Amino acid sequence: MVSVFDHGLLYGDGVFEGIRAYNGLVFKLKEHVDRLWESAHTLMLTIPLTKAEMQSAIVATLKKNKLRDAYIRVVVTRGVGDLGLDPRKCPRATVFIITDKIKLYPESLYQKGLEIISVATLRSHPESVNPQIKSLNYLNNILAKIEAINSGYEEALMLNTHGHVSECTGENVFILKDGRLATPPTHVGALRGITRQAVMELGAKMGLEVKEEIMTRHDIYNAEEVFLTGTAAEIVPIVKVDNRVIGSGKPGTTTGKLLKAFRELTRRDGLRF
Ligand code: PXG
């Protein structure tokens, strides 16, 4: 049970991670747990477990639910306290772990690619709620998502207060041009995505030049390939942005190679349970 006095619910005061297990392997578990701790550290939220205990608890939850392929949601909230947003009201953080069957995106998404739209809702300024914190307050992302849906699209491209591309509502963005793979640096308002990191490493192994680069919508429109990365979606090819056709208008060949390499990685790399 979660209390109605839990500050995670009342104020969005807390942090989370979305992790995946592939055929009995938890993908990048250490990286997810480290990022959870970093998000909590900035919020001065003490997680009442060690990192090793958290890893064990995640594995135990998977085993108990008899799941080999799963979506794992780890949530740490400020805990139960009186009304009023002072975090000192909450003596102990609430921790829960959900493991559920993974709902895969339709394969047609990867075959056909996705069309996205940039939206007016700007990414939160890093000195407001820093988008690098994977916090329970996702209203910035949700407002952007609503805008995209209102315009008939499933995903929104978000810009920061300078007009630089930051990311989508739950995925990082990459462009490919002239053999160079680029993604916005995290300080422009992007999460340090774990899929993003894995894709940067896979790209470098394929011989691509890989860079973090400030980019505008113009750079996106004129890229040869565009794709999104995230734990749930893995790698999604983007074929149109704001009605501009990207490259050939079909999912890019390098995007396809990266997706194949990523799927192979998830099959062999991870903590066995
Ligand atoms: N940006 C944002 C804002 C995200 O929330 C990513 C990028 C991609 O990061 P990873 O580390 O996943 O490559 C995310 C990830 C969910 C859910 O249930 C959300 C994410 C991941 C998994 C599940 O909403 N967001």
Side-chain angles (χ1 to χ4, degrees), residues 35 71 73 134 138 141 167 169-170 172 191 193-195 230-231:
R35 188 172 66 183
Y71 173 66
R73 168 66 67 92
K134 207 163 161 61
Y138 254 49
N141 313 47
E167 58 178 340
T169 66
N172 290 108
L191 188 74
I194 285 158
T195 320
T231 294

Side-chain angles (χ1 to χ4, degrees), residues 49 95 122 138 140-141 146 149-150 163 184 198 205 228 255:
L49 276 77
V95 180
L122 297 176
Y138 254 49
N140 181 230
N141 313 47
I146 289 170
I149 293 165
N150 283 346
K205 267 192 208 145
L228 311 183
T255 304

Side-chain angles (χ1 to χ4, degrees), residues 89-238:
K89 292 171 179 292
C90 308
R92 191 179 165 86
T94 301
V95 180
F96 57 87
I97 300 165
I98 305 167
T99 59
D100 200 0
K101 286 195 197 79
I102 181 100
K103 283 178 216 73
L104 293 176
Y105 290 82
E107 195 52 35
S108 61
L109 178 69
Y110 302 93
Q111 303 299 332
K112 284 199 225 139
L114 188 68
E115 299 181 14
I116 61 172
I117 188 169
S118 59
V119 294
T121 301
L122 297 176
R123 204 90 190 93
S124 296
H125 191 283
E127 295 309 323
S128 172
V129 179
N130 194 320
Q132 285 186 247
I133 306 168
K134 207 163 161 61
S135 83
L136 293 183
N137 187 333
Y138 254 49
L139 282 179
N140 181 230
N141 313 47
I142 290 165
L143 285 169
K145 186 94 176 177
I146 289 170
E147 266 193 80
I149 293 165
N150 283 346
S151 301
Y153 292 85
E154 287 300 314
E155 190 51 81
L157 182 69
M158 298 186 75
L159 312 179
N160 69 7
T161 49
H162 300 284
H164 298 142
V165 172
S166 53
E167 58 178 340
C168 289
T169 66
E171 298 90 20
N172 290 108
V173 61
F174 280 81
I175 62 174
L176 181 88
K177 180 119 181 194
D178 300 327
R180 199 168 81 235
L181 193 59
T183 189
T186 53
H187 65 77
V188 305
L191 188 74
R192 194 175 294 280
I194 285 158
T195 320
R196 172 185 181 273
Q197 182 61 34
V199 166
M200 288 168 84
E201 288 165 15
L202 290 171
K205 267 192 208 145
M206 276 180 191
L208 298 168
E209 187 191 341
V210 181
K211 286 190 88 174
E212 290 184 296
E213 241 172 47
I214 299 264
M215 54 182 84
T216 61
R217 288 189 296 176
H218 176 80
D219 301 310
I220 301 270
Y221 300 155
N222 289 289
E224 289 154 14
E225 299 184 24
V226 175
F227 61 84
L228 311 183
T229 65
T231 294
E234 300 180 322
I235 300 175
V236 177
I238 300 300

